[in-house]
Amino acid sequence: MPPALNIIALATFSASLSARALDPVLPHVAEEFSVSIATAASFAAAFACTFAIIQPVLGAMADMFGKARLMIICLVLLGFANILGAMATSFPLLFASRILAGIGSGGVFPVALSLTSDLVGPDKRQVAIGRTLAGAMAGNIMGASAAGLIGDFLGWRGVLAVLGGLVVLSSVAVAAGFRGAALTRPPRSSFAQLRGGYRTIFSNPNARICYGAVFIEGCCVLGLFPFIAAFLFELGETSLSVAGIVIAGFAVGGLFYTMTVSRFLPKLGVKGMMIAGATMVGLQLTAVAMGPEWKLQTLSLIFMGWGFYMIHGCIQVFASELSAEARATALALHSFFFFLGQTVGPIAYGFGIQHAGKVPTLLTAAAVMIALGFICAKLLRQTPPADAAAK
């Protein structure tokens, strides 16, 4: 694997530190600003919505002006957005800082996937993307667990300040690392070529399936996370550190996926990975719906993360092959629909829990995820990009 993958993994690690930073401390944020948990959960929706909306723009900018340069700029923006959030004096100001954080984060992970796909051929791409995901999973683990721990001692403001400072420092390290990295120079692109790239992407029959699938994933799986701390509070577990550990379990499962994908992929194949992963997610959503103690919920989140990335990693590879010339744009659209799902997810979960109850809502999400695995396995086919010859 190219040495540049280590630098890309550091970038995804840094960006992922603050992705779920507020989830373990949402009850305290809600208390300070006198808002409901459902309203405080809108932070996750705001972050995800901004991340989604900015993707078509950032993907095009990466293809036109250079992927590495854009990643570094967005890391700096993400770090300062977190620090500004720590100084917020009102709910609207904190909300605005999460929008800025969404923009910063939006320019890192999808571009990192595109860079990885540029460096590695399709036959080894899923393993290479797994290494990139390992950086993101490690960041999620540290971010969520550290947020709970820091929150117990320094409050939610301390969480944003500390993690924001770490992201800014990491951006300096990533910039230094990319100086000596062997990366392809950005192609000279025009807006006419970008329009052609969009046509190529959506002419591929896999596009609608990939983008629809990741939207559903974001809604059914990631949309649950803002409510986990509240579920634990209902069970009498009010420690923010515990909430952080439970949420970090998902990232631990994702990290386990990155370490096992090279072994399981040859045995199960792509179709088997998608079916097995989606089924595992559905079973763990069912387990969480039953409201077990926090240790069992942590175990469920570990298996949920492992299963989620089994199906999600397969879909990412299909998305990376929608276009060769406009790969950053294709993967940016992948993230657009994924985070659009994460925008809708907390709203849908909040509505379902309020009107139907926790158990029926989570069981519905479980059934949808299992069905999704079988649909993707049936409909997704290896299809070379229409512009592969040009690449």
Side-chain angles (χ1 to χ4, degrees), residues 20 23 217-229 231 247 284-285 288-289 297 301 304 342 345-346 349 353 358 361-362 365:
R20 310 233 69 91
D23 287 353
E217 284 182 329
C219 187
C220 292
V221 182
L222 280 299
L224 171 69
F225 285 11
F227 297 92
I228 288 177
F231 292 163
I247 294 170
Q284 301 316 312
L285 283 170
V288 172
Q297 287 203 40
L301 266 291
M304 189 187 299
Q342 292 185 50
Y349 268 107
I353 292 169
K358 170 186 171 182
T361 301
L362 267 67

Side-chain angles (χ1 to χ4, degrees), residues 20-117:
R20 310 233 69 91
L22 284 181
D23 287 353
V25 297
L26 275 183
H28 285 197
V29 175
E31 182 181 0
E32 177 167 337
F33 292 115
S34 301
V35 297
S36 67
I37 287 291
T39 302
S42 65
F43 287 135
F47 184 94
C49 182
T50 308
F51 191 113
I53 290 172
I54 203 69
Q55 287 310 305
V57 176
L58 292 178
M61 290 176 64
D63 280 327
M64 293 180 70
F65 305 116
K67 302 179 180 77
R69 185 181 297 113
L70 182 67
M71 285 176 62
I72 295 165
I73 292 171
C74 287
L75 274 176
V76 173
L77 175 61
L78 175 60
F80 281 109
N82 284 330
I83 294 171
L84 288 173
M87 298 185 290
T89 56
S90 67
F91 185 82
L93 288 176
L94 182 57
F95 193 89
S97 74
R98 297 312 292 166
I99 291 175
L100 286 177
I103 295 173
S105 183
V108 178
F109 191 68
V111 178
L113 292 179
S114 178
L115 268 175
T116 302
S117 299

Side-chain angles (χ1 to χ4, degrees), residues 7 29-30 33 48 82 101 133 142 173 187 198 204 292 305 319:
I7 306 166
V29 175
F33 292 115
N82 284 330
L133 284 173
M142 181 176 175
Y198 276 104
N204 193 309

Side-chain angles (χ1 to χ4, degrees), residues 10-22:
L10 175 60
T12 60
F13 168 82
S14 305
S16 299
L17 278 175
S18 56
R20 310 233 69 91
L22 284 181

Side-chain angles (χ1 to χ4, degrees), residues 4-300:
L5 286 183
N6 297 323
I7 306 166
I8 296 170
L10 175 60
T12 60
F13 168 82
S14 305
S16 299
L17 278 175
S18 56
R20 310 233 69 91
L22 284 181
D23 287 353
V25 297
L26 275 183
H28 285 197
V29 175
E31 182 181 0
E32 177 167 337
F33 292 115
S34 301
V35 297
S36 67
I37 287 291
T39 302
S42 65
F43 287 135
F47 184 94
C49 182
T50 308
F51 191 113
I53 290 172
I54 203 69
Q55 287 310 305
V57 176
L58 292 178
M61 290 176 64
D63 280 327
M64 293 180 70
F65 305 116
K67 302 179 180 77
R69 185 181 297 113
L70 182 67
M71 285 176 62
I72 295 165
I73 292 171
C74 287
L75 274 176
V76 173
L77 175 61
L78 175 60
F80 281 109
N82 284 330
I83 294 171
L84 288 173
M87 298 185 290
T89 56
S90 67
F91 185 82
L93 288 176
L94 182 57
F95 193 89
S97 74
R98 297 312 292 166
I99 291 175
L100 286 177
I103 295 173
S105 183
V108 178
F109 191 68
V111 178
L113 292 179
S114 178
L115 268 175
T116 302
S117 299
D118 287 345
L119 292 168
V120 182
D123 56 328
K124 297 181 180 179
R125 189 167 294 158
Q126 190 158 350
V127 177
I129 287 177
R131 185 174 295 185
T132 303
L133 284 173
M137 293 307 100
N140 277 330
I141 293 168
M142 181 176 175
S145 55
L149 183 63
I150 296 169
D152 277 332
F153 289 96
L154 301 177
W156 65 266
R157 295 181 186 276
V159 170
L160 290 178
V162 171
L163 295 184
L166 287 175
V167 173
V168 172
L169 291 175
S170 296
S171 69
V172 177
V174 170
F178 272 132
R179 280 186 176 180
L183 301 176
T184 57
R185 299 180 67 180
R188 294 181 179 273
S189 299
S190 64
F191 287 104
Q193 288 173 307
L194 289 174
R195 287 196 298 270
Y198 276 104
R199 284 195 298 269
T200 300
I201 291 166
F202 286 103
S203 68
N204 193 309
N206 287 334
R208 291 189 295 274
I209 304 165
C210 286
Y211 296 150
V214 295
F215 172 84
I216 294 171
E217 284 182 329
C219 187
C220 292
V221 182
L222 280 299
L224 171 69
F225 285 11
F227 297 92
I228 288 177
F231 292 163
L232 292 171
F233 271 45
E234 291 174 0
L235 297 174
E237 190 58 68
T238 58
S239 171
L240 298 180
S241 299
V242 168
I245 291 170
V246 173
I247 294 170
F250 186 85
V252 173
L255 196 58
F256 187 71
Y257 159 79
T258 67
M259 294 185 293
T260 58
V261 59
S262 60
R263 298 176 183 176
F264 279 98
L265 185 59
K267 296 178 181 179
L268 297 178
V270 174
K271 291 184 178 181
M273 290 277 284
M274 290 191 286
I275 293 172
T279 301
M280 195 183 302
V281 171
L283 291 175
Q284 301 316 312
L285 283 170
T286 302
V288 172
M290 300 300 107
E293 64 165 346
W294 73 269
K295 294 177 183 177
L296 292 177
Q297 287 203 40
T298 303
L299 186 62
S300 287

